[in-house]
């Protein structure tokens, strides 16, 4: 006869409510782990997706994600000439926040190197990859953009041709993929007035130099003219892929001799992201999680202890009737295990149905579920132990005291 | 056959200024099939004797034999007292005898389960016992849904379940009106006669004394046999 189960029949509602409360606590413990894993996943998602062997960035920076890095796109050509290098493509990314319609959209623009990368490898949930080198983007669904929607950025408009799911930046912002050239144009766009002012500035700087001549002044005033002496829009990094058989370390060492750049392997780039972006969150989340586990432990202990105290009379009666200690232990322990199991069940339901609505990714694998399950098991067992100690001390003669 | 024999029991509560000598050399016998009443004023030591016989509150001196077997001698237990309680002794108290979260039927079956009897025959046995005590139609009810008299009948059914040689009842009718109280006392006699159980009942109700075979009176920790004047 399972006394714990029999007891619960009479208090289904209060027991379920208690279990739901615990379930919420356990769900948060679960969420903490999932959020951390989500952070790691998000942080490294793009690096993994772009699949470069070596990231070449501005000298001594930890760019382009952890900090700003600018490199001239022409660096591509120098890199292509390196032994072992199969391809080099410039890469630009930045997070922008724009008003589109009535919404404030925070998005991370990522340049794909047209024509090799049209976004074929992106996990599209609808639409298609890029077909035109200009004015098309693939956006993440988290941004709430619809397929076919027109996105005005700078003085261009971009059509959303494809939607991805779960493609987020390390900051948790939805990614928008365009061609690399478009990305650079979007990120470096200036208002016509700003361009006019810049032209005035150039004229002013021209004055007094030996290049100052009527014809040069005319050229600078012409809106279509961009002086060849000005650098084109910079990129943030150059992505290098190696020929089969080439040694990453060797090429990296070769590039380290270049005075203007720093080269990271994909793994180093990943570590930079994890250290910079995730490390602090990890500590914070870990601390929070430990605190929550302690709070859950205290709550579970109090609940189970009080449930035992509430049964003092029944336990005394059981002992008077000659019940073995094991009967009393089972009663208390089973109650704890049932409470833990039901609470954990609620936690799983919450995780399944509520976590996907969270603004940031909550990534839960079997490991998380197992880990928190074990934690719950340990907590209720320890908490039950407190109840058991109390229960075993109840004298059977208590029943006679009235 | 002697179901229970107590010899020269002494029990003292507390010490020093608060010392209370509750039993002072109490001896008594209850035979199989005998209904024994235990009378006496409040605080005279009746409950102390009953819980002593029930192996709940062992007297520090004297001996107790159950079915001719020594189970207690000068505070020293022979065997597992809890095991003896669940198999050899049935208990009925004034009130709150039943586990509140178990139905009448389950309360009876519980004592069988405590004795490791779990099979389907336990359902039949507990139903038969409830019917025997006139509460067969209440078997699915929970204690709070039963009247005081019905609760006591269920408690007696439970006490009977393991077929113990001895039933101990401490003021089992105190919470009942006289009519129902009498009915319960008569049930005890029926049980004693038909099941061959020795029943020891602490009572204050002098109107039901005709039910009993033997009457003991307790006075300040000293027990004496009273004459039946019915
Ligand atoms: N646990 C205890 N600790 C200290 N003294 C106790 C304890 N139990 C009983 N006593 C004392 O022992 C004496 C006998 O008590 P007992 O309960 O046996 O009396 P009783 O005859 O059953 O009385 P009543 O008719 O009121 O139930 C009383 O003086 C009582 O105060
Ligand atoms: Mg008493």
């Amino acid at each position: 006869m399972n006394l714990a189960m029999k007891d619960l029949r009479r208090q289904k509602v209060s027991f379920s409510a208690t279990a739901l409360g615990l379930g919420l606590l356990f769900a948060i413990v679960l969420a903490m782990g999932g959020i951390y894993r989500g952070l790691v996943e998000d942080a490294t998602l793009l690096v993994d997706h772009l699949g470069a062997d070596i990231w070449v960035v501005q000298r001594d920076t930890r760019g382009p994600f952890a900090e700003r890095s600018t490199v001239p796109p022409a660096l591509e050509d120098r890199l292509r000439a390196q032994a072992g290098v199969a391809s080099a493509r410039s890469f630009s990314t930045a997070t922008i926040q724009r008003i589109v319609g009535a919404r404030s959209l925070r998005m991370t623009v990522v340049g794909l190197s047209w024509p090799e990368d049209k976004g074929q490898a992106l996990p599209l949930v609808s639409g298609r990859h890029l077909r035109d080198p200009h004015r098309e983007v693939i956006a993440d669904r988290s941004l709430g953009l619809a397929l076919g929607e027109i996105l005005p950025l700078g003085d261009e408009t971009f059509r959303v041709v494809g939607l991805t799911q779960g493609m987020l930046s390390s900051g948790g912002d939805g990614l928008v993929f365009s061609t690399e050239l478009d990305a650079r144009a979007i990120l470096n766009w200036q208002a016509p007035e700003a361009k006019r002012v810049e032209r005035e500035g150039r004229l002013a700087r021209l004055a007094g130099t030996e290049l100052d001549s009527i014809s040069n002044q005319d050229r600078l005033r012409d809106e279509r003219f961009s002086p060849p002496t000005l650098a084109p829009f910079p990129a943030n990094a150059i992505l290098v892929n190696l020929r089969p058989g080439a040694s990453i370390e060797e090429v990296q060492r070769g590039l380290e001799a270049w005075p203007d750049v720093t080269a990271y392997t994909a793994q180093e780039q990943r570590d930079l992201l994890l250290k910079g972006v995730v490390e602090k969150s990890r500590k914070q989340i870990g601390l929070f999680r430990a605190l929550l586990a302690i709070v859950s432990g205290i709550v579970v202990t109090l609940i189970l202890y009080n449930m035992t105290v509430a049964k003092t009379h029944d336990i005394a009666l059981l002992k008077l009737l000659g019940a073995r200690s094991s009967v009393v232990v089972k009663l208390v322990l089973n109650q704890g295990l049932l409470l833990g199991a039901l609470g954990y069940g609620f936690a799983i339901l919450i995780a399944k149905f509520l976590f996907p609505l969270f603004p940031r990714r909550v990534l839960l694998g079997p490991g998380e579920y197992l880990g928190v399950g074990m934690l719950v098991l340990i907590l209720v067992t320890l908490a039950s132990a407190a109840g058991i100690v109390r229960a075993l001390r109840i004298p059977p003669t208590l029943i006679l005291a009235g | 056959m002697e179901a229970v024999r107590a010899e020269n029991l002494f029990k003292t509560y507390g010490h020093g200024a608060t010392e209370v000598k509750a039993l002072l050399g109490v001896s008594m016998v209850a035979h199989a099939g005998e209904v024994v009443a235990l009378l006496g004023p409040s605080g005279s030591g009746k409950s102390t004797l009953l819980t002593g016989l029930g192996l709940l509150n062992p007297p520090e001196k004297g001996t107790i034999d159950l079915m001719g077997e020594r189970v207690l001698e000068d505070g020293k237990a022979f065997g597992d007292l809890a095991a003896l309680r669940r198999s050899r002794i049935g208990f009925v108290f004034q009130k709150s005898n039943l586990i509140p979260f178990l139905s009448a039927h389950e309360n009876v079956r519980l004592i069988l389960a405590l004795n490791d009897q779990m099979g389907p025959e336990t359902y039949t046995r507990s139903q038969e016992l409830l019917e025997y005590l006139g509460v067969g139609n209440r078997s699915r009810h929970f204690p709070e849904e039963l009247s005081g008299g019905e609760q006591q009948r269920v408690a007696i059914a439970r006490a009977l379940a393991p077929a113990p040689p001895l039933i101990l009842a401490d003021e089992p009718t105190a919470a009942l009106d006289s009519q129902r109280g009498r009915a319960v006392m008569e049930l005890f006699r029926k049980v004693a006669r038909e099941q061959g159980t020795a029943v020891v009942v602490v009572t204050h109700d002098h109107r039901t004394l005709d039910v009993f075979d033997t009457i003991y009176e307790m006075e300040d920790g000293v027990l004496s046999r009273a004459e039946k004047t019915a």
Side-chain angles (χ1 to χ4, degrees):
Chain A
M1 195 183 287
N2 189 335
L3 290 173
M5 284 290 250
K6 302 267 184 204
D7 181 26
L8 294 190
R9 287 180 308 191
R10 308 278 291 160
Q11 38 177 325
K12 280 184 209 118
V13 175
S14 67
F15 190 78
S16 306
T18 309
L20 183 62
L22 280 181
L24 279 167
L25 267 177
F26 297 153
I28 301 172
V29 176
L30 208 51
M32 288 295 130
I35 288 170
Y36 171 65
R37 272 197 54 194
L39 278 181
V40 171
E41 172 84 4
D42 285 350
T44 54
L45 184 86
L46 197 53
V47 173
D48 292 342
H49 182 76
L50 290 167
D53 294 322
I54 291 178
W55 288 69
V56 180
V57 300
Q58 184 181 346
R59 181 82 191 179
D60 287 343
T61 70
R62 309 243 170 316
F65 303 107
E67 67 169 304
R68 184 179 156 81
S69 145
T70 51
V71 290
L75 185 58
E76 276 179 32
D77 300 324
R78 279 165 65 201
L79 286 164
R80 283 195 195 103
Q82 271 295 100
V85 172
S87 73
R89 48 200 155 116
S90 39
F91 172 78
S92 296
T93 185
T95 299
I96 59 178
Q97 186 165 337
R98 300 287 159 85
I99 307 291
V100 176
R103 283 168 298 171
S104 169
L105 272 189
R106 190 173 163 81
M107 53 200 158
T108 299
V109 177
V110 173
L112 300 175
S113 49
W114 184 272
E116 303 86 26
D117 190 353
K118 301 186 172 83
Q120 305 93 314
L122 293 172
L124 292 183
V125 288
S126 62
R128 55 170 174 82
H129 51 75
L130 305 181
R131 242 179 241 154
D132 197 273
H134 287 298
R135 303 172 58 177
E136 285 190 348
V137 295
I138 298 169
D140 191 68
R141 220 157 69 159
S142 65
L143 291 166
L145 294 167
L147 217 54
E149 195 168 337
I150 302 295
L151 206 57
L153 296 170
D155 40 24
E156 296 276 20
T157 57
F158 296 83
R159 177 182 293 278
V160 178
V161 298
L163 292 176
T164 59
Q165 174 148 22
M167 294 298 286
L168 303 178
S169 74
S170 61
D173 305 305
L175 296 183
V176 170
F177 298 91
S178 66
T179 60
E180 170 64 15
L181 279 177
D182 276 355
R184 258 182 263 161
I186 293 168
L187 299 175
N188 294 287
W189 179 80
Q190 286 188 317
E193 175 61 9
K195 285 186 195 156
R196 197 190 59 74
V197 170
E198 169 60 16
R199 277 174 205 289
E200 292 301 325
R202 285 179 202 165
L203 277 172
R205 291 198 293 276
L206 187 68
T209 69
E210 54 250 49
L211 294 173
D212 196 6
S213 64
I214 299 293
S215 61
N216 274 347
Q217 288 175 10
D218 281 347
R219 281 201 196 115
L220 275 179
R221 281 200 184 91
D222 185 342
E223 288 199 2
R224 288 158 303 174
F225 178 75
S226 184
T229 50
L230 291 182
F233 293 143
N236 297 125
I238 310 289
L239 310 189
V240 172
N241 282 91
L242 302 187
R243 286 180 202 292
S247 149
I248 294 182
E249 288 73 32
E250 236 165 72
V251 176
Q252 187 188 23
R253 227 175 299 127
L255 292 177
E256 274 306 306
W258 294 16
D260 56 341
V261 297
T262 297
Y264 296 113
T265 64
Q267 187 52 49
E268 283 168 342
Q269 186 61 256
R270 223 175 274 134
D271 292 344
L272 286 180
L273 274 167
L274 291 181
K275 280 221 182 65
V277 181
V278 179
E279 184 66 9
K280 276 185 197 137
S281 308
R282 189 180 73 84
K283 280 188 189 138
Q284 183 139 340
I285 288 174
L287 199 73
F288 200 40
R289 205 178 188 197
L291 271 172
L292 261 172
I294 293 169
V295 169
S296 309
I298 293 170
V299 170
V300 172
T301 308
L302 283 176
I303 289 172
L304 288 178
Y305 191 78
N306 284 331
M307 283 173 85
T308 309
V309 169
K311 268 197 265 307
T312 299
H313 177 272
D314 309 342
I315 291 169
L317 184 53
L318 280 171
K319 289 180 158 185
L320 183 147
L321 293 175
R324 293 182 182 88
S325 296
S326 64
V327 172
V328 175
V329 169
K330 261 191 224 152
L331 169 63
V332 178
L333 186 63
N334 281 344
Q335 203 130 79
L337 292 176
L338 280 168
L339 188 69
L342 197 59
Y344 185 59
F346 277 127
I348 290 177
L349 284 183
I350 292 165
K352 284 264 183 295
F353 293 103
L354 233 53
F355 289 2
L357 307 177
F358 280 23
R360 289 220 51 172
R361 193 203 304 263
V362 184
L363 200 64
L364 291 173
E368 263 72 31
Y369 283 114
L370 202 71
V372 174
M374 291 299 289
L375 179 77
V376 171
L377 188 66
I378 292 168
L379 283 186
V380 294
T381 309
L382 288 179
S384 301
I388 287 168
V389 168
R390 153 91 197 195
L392 290 178
R393 284 204 189 129
I394 297 172
T397 45
L398 189 83
I399 206 86
L400 308 167
Chain B
M1 179 76 191
E2 284 177 0
V4 64
R5 166 177 283 277
E7 294 279 3
N8 217 16
L9 300 180
F10 284 85
K11 175 77 188 179
T12 310
Y13 292 112
H15 42 76
T18 58
E19 190 182 83
V20 177
K21 290 188 159 56
L23 299 180
L24 290 165
V26 169
S27 302
M28 68 165 287
V29 183
H31 296 87
E34 188 182 14
V35 206
V36 178
L38 215 55
L39 297 176
S42 185
S44 57
K46 304 181 297 294
S47 295
T48 305
L49 173 57
L50 209 70
T51 51
L53 296 176
L55 311 178
L56 285 163
N57 191 16
E60 56 265 16
K61 279 196 76 176
T63 59
I64 295 175
D65 300 326
L66 274 182
M67 300 300 283
E69 230 176 272
R70 181 63 42 98
V71 292
L72 212 62
E73 182 169 336
D74 294 342
K76 188 171 161 298
F78 293 84
D80 178 356
L81 293 186
L84 288 168
R85 281 206 299 278
R86 64 177 171 259
S87 60
R88 302 273 184 92
I89 307 174
F91 292 94
V92 182
F93 301 102
Q94 184 175 333
K95 55 182 163 55
S96 343
N97 280 301
L98 304 174
I99 303 270
F101 55 80
L102 297 180
S103 68
H105 196 263
E106 288 164 344
N107 261 288
V108 178
R109 235 157 36 78
L110 168 69
I111 196 83
L112 295 172
L114 294 185
N115 282 297
D116 301 318
Q117 288 172 257
M118 313 274 196
E121 72 282 358
T122 62
Y123 290 84
T124 340
R125 168 117 180 108
S126 62
Q127 188 57 37
E128 277 169 11
L129 281 168
L130 289 169
E131 269 157 26
Y132 180 58
L133 287 151
V135 282
N137 57 342
R138 292 281 183 277
S139 61
R140 287 172 178 282
H141 289 243
F142 286 90
E144 64 183 24
E145 299 161 352
L146 298 171
S147 74
E150 287 168 340
Q151 288 187 24
Q152 290 308 61
R153 285 160 191 264
V154 175
I156 297 169
R158 183 191 59 198
L160 278 177
L166 176 64
I167 289 182
L168 301 172
D170 198 347
E171 302 187 35
T173 62
L176 304 178
D177 61 47
S178 63
Q179 204 185 332
R180 280 171 227 277
R182 181 163 194 93
V184 167
M185 291 303 193
E186 279 169 358
L187 271 176
F188 278 124
R189 189 167 62 179
K190 174 171 142 160
V191 164
R193 295 291 184 268
E194 295 177 11
Q195 316 285 321
T197 314
V199 183
V200 180
V201 184
V202 171
T203 181
H204 285 293
D205 188 355
H206 289 256
R207 285 168 301 179
T208 55
L209 288 182
D210 57 296
V211 172
F212 295 90
D213 303 313
T214 315
I215 298 166
Y216 284 100
E217 265 196 63
M218 185 74 108
E219 183 89 51
D220 288 336
V222 179
L223 191 71
S224 56
R225 229 177 128 147
E227 282 311 306
K228 262 199 83 170
T229 55

